[in-house]
Amino acid sequence: MNFAEFISYGFVQRALISGVLVSLITAMLGVFLVLKRLSLIGDSLSHIALSGVAVGLILNVTPIFAALPIVMLSSLGIFKLSKNKKIYADSALGIVSSAGIALGLIIAALAGGFNTDLMGFLFGNILTVTPAETVLSVIIFAIVIACLYFFYNALIATVFDEHFAKTAGVDTDKINILLVLLSAVVVVLAVKTVGIMLVSALIIIPPTSALQIAKKFKSVLICACIFSVFATVGGVYLSFLFNLPPSALIIILNLIILCICGLIKYAKSGKIN
Amino acid sequence: MNISEIKNLSFSYTGQTVLKDINFKIAEGDYIALLGPNGSGKTTLIKLLLGLLPSQKGKINLFGNTLQKFHAWQNIGYLEQKTTTPRNMPMTAFAVVRLGLLSTKKGLKLFNKEDNKKTISLMKKLRCYSYKDKLFSELSGGQQQRVLLARTIINEPKFLILDEPSTALDSSSREEFFEIISTLNEEKKTTILLVTHDISQVGKYVNKFLVLDKQIIFYGSKEEFCDSKEVTSYFGPYTQHLIDHLHTEGTCPMPHCHSEEVK
């Protein structure tokens, strides 16, 4: 099957639209999260998404719509916990992460009977994206892009040096809340693409690859987007050709790109940092 | 006009008193050296002054406003003891310096061509233009400090707060650094609060001393400092060392302020 024939299917078109938009926003947001050492927030929030999905399946509501408010509230919880200096940020992420899995499993066990659906969310299936979810992807993409554009320099200053940002008049609390809320929204959206187990890879790997080879902030953003989109489109196409899970292929392609970028950096500098 | 006023400020951390009943005013044009041994609360005081730490007790005013109502951050320049910048931050020296203009921006906070010109001009003046396209993380400690100084002063702040800014610099760069700061104080009447241990280098520039050890031991002019019994009786050999330096440098103006006399 050639690529033209491949994209003529409606479900493939939805998968590609949704996948490309999710890839773009996870990559862009991921750059800020990786540099701020908050990349594991994707992992924690995706585990919370498990509870949200379970609640959605019980209430017979579209799971990602049910997961959205739950994950957003949890992201604020992470912010509050990590702002409280008595708990380290990574500990706060770990606490929320395990709470999410535990609650999700309990809800699933209490309800019973939707294990197959839940498995679909654990490992994702981009080829089953519905028209409503595609529309949601477009809306969330527009919101994330608008936020990144309007708060671009404030975000950079906060990532660069939070104390400096504060004394430059940036409300760093608001910026950090914005960052965790956007992460929550993006994680919920990405759950359908690559699944709960692999969502943090979409946030971490493309920015890490880009940071190996690009020097300026904008170049890092652009490279991360290109890598992420390439891996997603490639992963979906290969899954169709070889009848393999698209989420796994998307991540494997991202890892291959990371290795190539690492080798390029090694070749340039003679060492891998 | 008072740039800042601090009243009855106290701060404790995990049950331990870090600052106790601090009261002082900073007037326009002051160049104050903030001295004190390690753990005396110097950095805590500065962080409280800038709202980087939540205040527990007391009042802090900046430019006539309480800290909560203060929004004129373009008047403030702050250079921290050490930067918390991520190791692999993809920013050139130029981008870092330009970021200093953020406080002058309203709304979208986007930079324009004028900002780029201003950045280039200052980088040339501070002799850091030659590495403007290098990654900040790849610069030497001294080069980074120069870039951060440029970032701190690019918005021409009225109040400059520097927390041990010269630690990463070699002696000649240090001299040049303090010359730049002093020029700002002399020519633009920039008010400066400088945390330092390097009394030998700044003694000739500053006009006030603030000596801190959890509480204010001394706050006054350089002349008063040299003649202060409170200072010598509190710190003993430490202050002796400071005054010796002032005397050696010829910056201690009181004829009777001689190290032998103090001894």
Side-chain angles (χ1 to χ4, degrees), chain A residues 136-201:
Chain A
L136 184 69
S137 310
V138 175
I139 293 169
I140 290 177
F141 175 79
I143 292 170
V144 173
I145 294 295
C147 288
L148 293 183
Y149 177 74
F150 288 131
F151 298 103
Y152 182 72
N153 283 320
L155 275 162
I156 288 181
T158 306
V159 170
F160 182 80
D161 181 343
E162 206 157 316
H163 282 170
F164 156 72
K166 224 169 183 174
T167 56
V170 174
D171 190 336
T172 52
D173 278 352
K174 276 187 189 160
I175 292 294
N176 284 323
I177 287 173
L178 178 76
L179 207 53
V180 294
L181 280 177
L182 290 179
S183 306
V185 171
V186 168
V187 160
V188 172
L189 200 61
V191 158
K192 190 80 184 202
T193 317
V194 288
I196 287 161
M197 302 302 287
L198 295 172
V199 71
S200 61

Side-chain angles (χ1 to χ4, degrees), chain A residues 53-246:
Chain A
V53 165
V55 169
L57 290 171
I58 283 182
L59 298 177
N60 210 16
V61 176
T62 306
I64 65 168
F65 289 116
L68 203 55
I70 294 172
V71 177
M72 286 174 83
L73 279 174
S74 304
S75 71
L76 293 176
I78 291 175
F79 171 74
K80 278 278 176 194
L81 277 174
S82 56
K83 195 169 159 53
N84 176 355
K85 299 285 181 195
K86 287 172 188 160
I87 297 176
Y88 291 115
D90 54 348
S91 305
L93 292 176
I95 291 165
V96 172
S97 175
S98 40
I101 288 191
L103 283 173
L105 287 176
I106 288 170
I107 296 167
L110 287 175
F114 53 72
N115 286 347
T116 314
D117 292 336
L118 209 56
M119 284 296 279
F121 283 98
L122 274 176
F123 299 103
N125 192 351
I126 195 171
L127 298 174
T128 60
V129 170
T130 63
E133 286 164 347
T134 309
V135 172
L136 184 69
S137 310
V138 175
I139 293 169
I140 290 177
F141 175 79
I143 292 170
V144 173
I145 294 295
C147 288
L148 293 183
Y149 177 74
F150 288 131
F151 298 103
Y152 182 72
N153 283 320
L155 275 162
I156 288 181
T158 306
V159 170
F160 182 80
D161 181 343
E162 206 157 316
H163 282 170
F164 156 72
K166 224 169 183 174
T167 56
V170 174
D171 190 336
T172 52
D173 278 352
K174 276 187 189 160
I175 292 294
N176 284 323
I177 287 173
L178 178 76
L179 207 53
V180 294
L181 280 177
L182 290 179
S183 306
V185 171
V186 168
V187 160
V188 172
L189 200 61
V191 158
K192 190 80 184 202
T193 317
V194 288
I196 287 161
M197 302 302 287
L198 295 172
V199 71
S200 61
L202 266 194
I203 290 175
I204 298 171
I205 303 175
T208 307
S209 305
L211 282 166
Q212 305 305 308
I213 56 164
K215 282 198 164 189
K216 290 184 178 176
F217 208 94
K218 278 184 184 156
S219 320
V220 171
L221 283 174
I222 291 167
C223 286
C225 287
I226 291 170
F227 296 157
S228 191
V229 168
F230 175 79
T232 299
V233 174
V236 172
Y237 185 51
L238 290 177
S239 79
F240 219 68
L241 287 182
F242 301 110
N243 196 25
L244 287 168

Side-chain angles (χ1 to χ4, degrees), chain B residues 102-114:
Chain B
L102 201 61
S103 59
T104 63
K105 299 282 163 190
K106 295 216 163 68
L108 283 185
K109 290 184 180 284
L110 298 176
F111 298 122
N112 53 36
K113 281 181 184 171
E114 275 305 306

